Amino acid sequence: MGLAIKYVESSVNGVEKNTVELHLQGLADQVRRMDQKLTTRLDRTISEDFETQQLKISHTRSTIRGAFSLK
């Protein structure tokens, strides 16, 4: 964050450099939390979809085995 604020004078248009830096840091924290939530949800969705597919595969295998064992 220091690099982004490095070239700003101590006060620009009546806004202090520290105030701008604090707000930018707050925005960066919000973006980080949003990214974490999105990543967590995506991971959960992928995991659930994988489990569903594994159950379908298992069921299909059982059905095929049952069909061949009837002969």
Side-chain angles (χ1 to χ4, degrees):
M1 195 57 57
L3 184 61
I5 201 76
K6 182 177 180 180
Y7 300 104
V8 177
E9 296 176 17
S10 65
S11 178
V12 176
N13 296 330
V15 179
E16 292 294 320
K17 177 180 176 180
N18 292 342
T19 303
V20 172
E21 190 169 6
L22 286 173
H23 283 83
L24 286 175
Q25 186 62 46
L27 287 172
D29 290 341
Q30 287 179 359
V31 169
R32 181 186 49 77
R33 285 191 302 270
M34 289 168 41
D35 181 58
Q36 286 176 340
K37 285 182 181 180
L38 181 61
T39 300
T40 301
R41 287 180 186 162
L42 185 60
D43 287 347
R44 186 180 313 119
T45 300
I46 290 170
S47 180
E48 289 170 354
D49 289 349
F50 176 78
E51 290 295 324
T52 300
Q53 290 298 318
Q54 289 298 102
L55 287 172
K56 287 179 181 179
I57 290 169
S58 179
H59 177 70
T60 302
R61 284 182 178 158
S62 296
T63 302
I64 291 170
R65 286 184 187 132
F68 282 114
S69 67
L70 292 176
K71 291 184 177 186

